């Protein structure tokens, strides 16, 4: 169990040094990891921890120098440590002042696939009632460019966005037109299966620097099983679409994402090998989320967090061995965590932000005109839960959307430094808050931490990363490289 150091009790000025706030987590019977609120950490023995707390450390010892350099202790009169902590804190939260960067346009719910774990409850290809209109898109763009962020990313999602590509084209052209005076760093991404990609689409994407993000769940049999479509040729069409897209846009213009289905759990090595086969330089071991068809088809409940962590460990260890052999390949979820653990930067990944990234980092314009605080929020809507709806394109102003009480309340409750149990957790500096997930699973935005699979998953991954770094210096070097890529 993690604990705060007894700062008040030991803040008297007598003695060589004073304690700065830190928390610790036992790793085994002999060693603990200690962290401070900016994410600095150190491995120390239980004996050294006791000596630290009782202020009996030898000033000439290596552990004394280590703890002082990482701001766990400070010598009397040394105010530079406090100033450095303040600087690191400002750096950590610097992204918040820029506000919303990612703007997701759900241009359609129509899709040519019928994935059982689909989190957005896709619709059949002929249901055009599930398409966003030009009028909605124009109103959404007016909100997009009210964001104070100097960098604007517009991501097109579905369903399959290519089924409403005329609207995608309109939004790209209008955004670029608006940006002629706004001068933002403007980026476009289409999330697509690539099975419907055409030369005409790719020529447009190349002309306007539109990137594509796709899905690859593993080898042909696994991909076809996870992502069925008429003709049972999902994998073959993916490969054809990938090669065509890379041929026009360039090799690095396409990224891929996998989802861990129950059928994936024994295939970690096979999945990594499939990504290597297609020339990808990394993978994101994404777990299932409790939304949409993933709940209706009982896919989400088919495995628990312990089973996913076993799958994750198998995949991570295989990737580590590949790197030791000279193969540069990254596990992207680990890279996000390691950026927070090993650097002063925060990658701004919505699920790992504190306070929550809902609204602050991302906002979603749904196909029907409603506005949601995050991608997961709109997934809840497809389950008839509109708790995190924060506005409507026809009735809400920018101010209405981002001062919505639903959003402000969720953000206020998502500060992990003041959330029950989070505030006592040694891994809190590296974690985030997911109020939508906890609402979906527990009925409130804080959730019940001892029962939270979000907490168990993050803690499991962090412990795994710490163990690998602690036991192998070569692994730490590999991890530093990953962290500096984010």
């Amino acid at each position: 169990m993690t604990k705060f150091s007894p700062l008040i009790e030991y803040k008297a000025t007598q003695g060589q040094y004073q304690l700065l706030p830190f928390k610790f987590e036992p790793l085994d019977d002999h060693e603990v990891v200690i962290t401070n609120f900016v994410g600095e950490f150190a491995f120390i023995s239980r004996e050294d921890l006791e000596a630290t707390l009782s202020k009996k450390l030898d000033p000439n010892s290596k552990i004394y120098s280590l703890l002082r350099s990482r701001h766990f202790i400070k010598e009397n009169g040394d105010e530079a440590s406090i100033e450095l902590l303040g600087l690191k804190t400002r750096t950590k939260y610097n992204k918040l002042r820029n506000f919303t960067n990612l703007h997701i346009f759900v241009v359609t719910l129509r899709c040519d696939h019928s994935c059982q774990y689909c989190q957005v409850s896709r619709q059949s290809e002929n249901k055009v009632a599930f398409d966003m209109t030009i009028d909605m898109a124009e109103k959404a763009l007016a909100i997009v460019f009210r964001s104070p962020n100097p960098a604007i990313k517009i991501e097109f999602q579905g369903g399959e966005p290519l089924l409403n590509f005329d609207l995608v084209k309109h939004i790209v052209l209008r955004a670029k037109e608006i940006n002629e005076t706004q001068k933002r760093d403007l980026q476009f991404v289409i999330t697509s299966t690539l099975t419907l990609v055409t030369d005409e689409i790719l020529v447009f994407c190349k002309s306007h620097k539109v990137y594509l993000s796709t899905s690859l769940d593993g080898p042909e049999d696994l991909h076809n099983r996870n992502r069925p479509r008429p003709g049972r040729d999902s994998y073959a069409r993916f490969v054809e679409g990938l090669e065509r897209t890379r041929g026009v846009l360039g090799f690095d213009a396409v990224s891929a994402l996998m989802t861990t289905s129950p059928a994936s759990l024994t295939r970690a090595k096979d999945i990594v090998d499939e990504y290597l086969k297609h020339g990808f330089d990394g993978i994101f071991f994404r777990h299932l989320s409790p939304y949409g068809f993933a709940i209706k088809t009982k896919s989400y409940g088919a495995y628990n967090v312990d089973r996913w962590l076993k799958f994750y460990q198998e995949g991570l260890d295989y990737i580590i061995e590949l790197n030791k052999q000279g193969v540069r390949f990254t596990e992207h979820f680990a890279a996000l965590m390691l950026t927070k653990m090993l650097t002063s930067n925060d990658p701004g990944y919505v699920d790992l932000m504190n306070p929550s990234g809902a609204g602050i980092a991302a906002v979603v314009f749904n196909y029907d005109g409603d506005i949601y605080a995050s991608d997961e929020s709109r997934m809840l809507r497809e389950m008839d839960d509109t708790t995190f709806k924060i506005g409507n394109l026809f009735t809400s102003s920018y101010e209405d959307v981002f001062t919505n009480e639903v959003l402000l309340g969720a953000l206020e409750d998502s500060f992990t430094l003041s959330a029950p149990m989070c505030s006592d957790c040694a891994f809190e500096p590296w974690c985030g808050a997911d109020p939508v997930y906890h609402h979906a699973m527990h009925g409130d935005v804080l959730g019940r931490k001892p029962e939270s699979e979000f907490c168990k998953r993050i803690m499991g991954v962090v412990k795994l990363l710490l163990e690998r770094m602690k036991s192998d210096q070569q692994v730490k070097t590999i991890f530093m490289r990953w962290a500096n890529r984010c």
Side-chain angles (χ1 to χ4, degrees), residues 168-267:
V168 172
K169 289 169 59 176
H170 176 86
I171 293 169
V172 169
L173 295 174
R174 279 290 292 137
K176 293 186 71 174
E177 181 182 351
I178 296 169
N179 202 45
E180 288 178 4
T181 56
Q182 291 269 350
K183 306 297 183 185
R184 311 292 185 94
D185 178 8
L186 190 59
Q187 183 181 2
F188 303 100
V189 178
I190 299 174
T191 301
S192 170
T193 63
L194 301 182
T195 59
L196 302 178
V197 73
T198 64
D199 290 339
E200 178 187 358
I201 289 172
L202 293 176
V203 168
F204 178 87
C205 290
K206 183 175 182 179
S207 298
H208 299 282
K209 296 182 179 179
V210 179
Y211 294 88
L212 283 99
S213 175
T214 190
S215 298
L216 173 60
D217 276 3
E220 183 170 7
D221 65 308
L222 180 59
H223 187 86
N224 283 341
R225 177 175 177 175
N226 284 357
R227 307 183 60 78
R229 69 175 309 280
R232 300 181 180 180
D233 58 352
S234 177
Y235 178 86
R237 294 185 62 138
F238 160 80
V239 172
E240 179 185 355
L242 179 66
E243 292 175 352
R244 178 183 295 181
T245 301
R246 283 175 166 172
V248 176
L249 302 185
F251 198 87
D252 295 329
V254 188
S255 60
L257 188 67
M258 61 81 65
T259 300
T260 308
S261 72
S264 308
L265 293 173
T266 60
R267 308 285 299 274

Side-chain angles (χ1 to χ4, degrees), residues 20-32:
L20 295 172
F22 68 82
K23 294 172 279 189
F24 65 88
E25 174 73 24
L27 296 178
D28 53 41
D29 291 339
H30 307 288
E31 198 166 29
V32 302

Side-chain angles (χ1 to χ4, degrees), residues 38-50:
V38 297
E40 296 270 16
F41 71 98
F43 302 110
I44 65 173
S45 68
R46 289 176 179 260
E47 291 77 11
D48 284 334
L49 175 63
E50 292 174 4

Side-chain angles (χ1 to χ4, degrees), residues 11 25 34 72 83 96 247 266 335 351 366 405-406 412 429 479:
K11 200 167 183 179
E25 174 73 24
I34 60 174
F72 294 105
E83 293 174 3
L96 294 179
T266 60
D351 291 355
N366 208 20
E405 285 299 321
V406 170
E412 183 177 1
F479 283 178

